[in-house]
Amino acid sequence: MTRGKFVVLEGGEGAGKSVQMGRIREILPHGVFTRDPGGVETGEDIRRMVLSKEARGIDAATEILLFLAARAQLIAELIAPALESGKLVVCDRFILSTIAYQAYGRKKLEYLPLVKSVFEAIHHGCVPDLTIFLEVSPEVGLARARARLEAPNRFDEEEVAFHERVREGYKKHLNDYGKSAVVNADNDIEQVWQDVREALQSAL
Ligand code: TYD
């Protein structure tokens, strides 16, 4: 059995990731679609905990370890078995989110070696074949995120400078884990979709 392909969609707040995930799902109905943190029961439990307002102000190392714990379970329970059985897996966020948000956004670059070494220990070969990075300028992305009806999460509430650092983190580490494609997500949905589709076609 040949290993399936693993595609990750990344981006800052308001990059339009959910819309693009929906479109990918329509053209790849046989794929396994999941999200990080989350995807499996324990992962969703950790997601609720780490994104809740009550977790505001938790220690930076605790936050990192919670995201990594959710990812470890998602990989072991869902991503690794799906790839082994030849399926295509599409994941909303993955390792680069932790690098961008926790190390760069939170200005904790000293934790980069921890993030990277824990990931080495838990990935079981599940390194993305392609990461599509929806690059949005923080002003555009935050305005979109704040216009949404659902309640903002803890990260939507961070200041513009935080999101500038997140973007910088993504750009610096984009090629650390498999191939990547950058899509300008300041553009309108249809243009972004065309670019996402092209990136997918060249990788699959
Ligand atoms: P999500 O609903 O996926 O956010 P968005 O709608 O912006 O995609 O919520 C996940 C939030 O968690 C998002 O703000 C980014 C953050 N996050 C981290 O800080 N570190 C991580 O490792 C991951 C996976 C997500």
Side-chain angles (χ1 to χ4, degrees), residues 31-45:
V32 173
F33 287 78
T34 191
R35 65 176 183 180
D36 178 10
V40 295
E41 208 176 320
T42 308
E44 291 290 334
D45 287 345

Side-chain angles (χ1 to χ4, degrees), residues 49 99 143 158:
M49 183 192 300
I99 292 179
E158 291 286 345

Side-chain angles (χ1 to χ4, degrees), residues 3-163:
R3 176 190 179 273
K5 295 270 187 198
F6 183 22
V7 175
V8 170
L9 203 57
E10 291 275 6
E13 307 308 306
K17 236 170 1 73
S18 313
V19 172
Q20 301 301 325
M21 275 296 271
R23 298 258 175 124
I24 298 173
R25 208 186 269 260
E26 280 169 23
I27 62 162
L28 298 170
H30 301 298
V32 173
F33 287 78
T34 191
R35 65 176 183 180
D36 178 10
V40 295
E41 208 176 320
T42 308
E44 291 290 334
D45 287 345
I46 298 172
R47 179 187 180 93
R48 270 189 293 280
M49 183 192 300
V50 73
L51 296 183
S52 72
K53 303 270 189 256
E54 288 71 41
R56 244 184 219 138
I58 55 169
D59 178 68
T62 310
E63 185 175 277
I64 286 172
L65 293 167
L66 285 172
F67 280 114
L68 288 165
R71 188 164 305 128
Q73 192 59 31
L74 175 63
I75 291 170
E77 202 177 323
L78 191 149
I79 299 177
L83 292 178
E84 269 157 36
S85 62
K87 292 184 181 141
L88 163 74
V89 176
V90 184
C91 191
D92 184 342
R93 300 192 178 279
F94 203 57
I95 175 68
L96 289 180
S97 282
T98 313
I99 292 179
Y101 282 78
Q102 277 64 53
Y104 283 79
R106 296 241 183 272
K107 293 202 255 190
K108 295 285 177 194
L109 291 183
E110 65 274 25
Y111 284 128
L112 261 182
L114 169 80
V115 172
K116 291 191 149 242
S117 66
V118 173
F119 183 66
E120 283 305 313
I122 63 170
H123 71 52
H124 298 298
C126 299
V127 172
D129 295 291
L130 173 69
T131 297
I132 301 175
F133 173 48
L134 301 182
E135 183 178 17
V136 69
S137 42
E139 293 77 11
V140 173
L142 286 176
R144 283 185 193 152
R146 283 169 187 158
R148 280 186 207 142
L149 290 178
E150 73 247 42
N153 72 37
R154 294 201 288 124
F155 298 93
D156 295 326
E157 292 172 348
E158 291 286 345
E159 83 268 2
V160 170
F162 175 93
H163 295 283

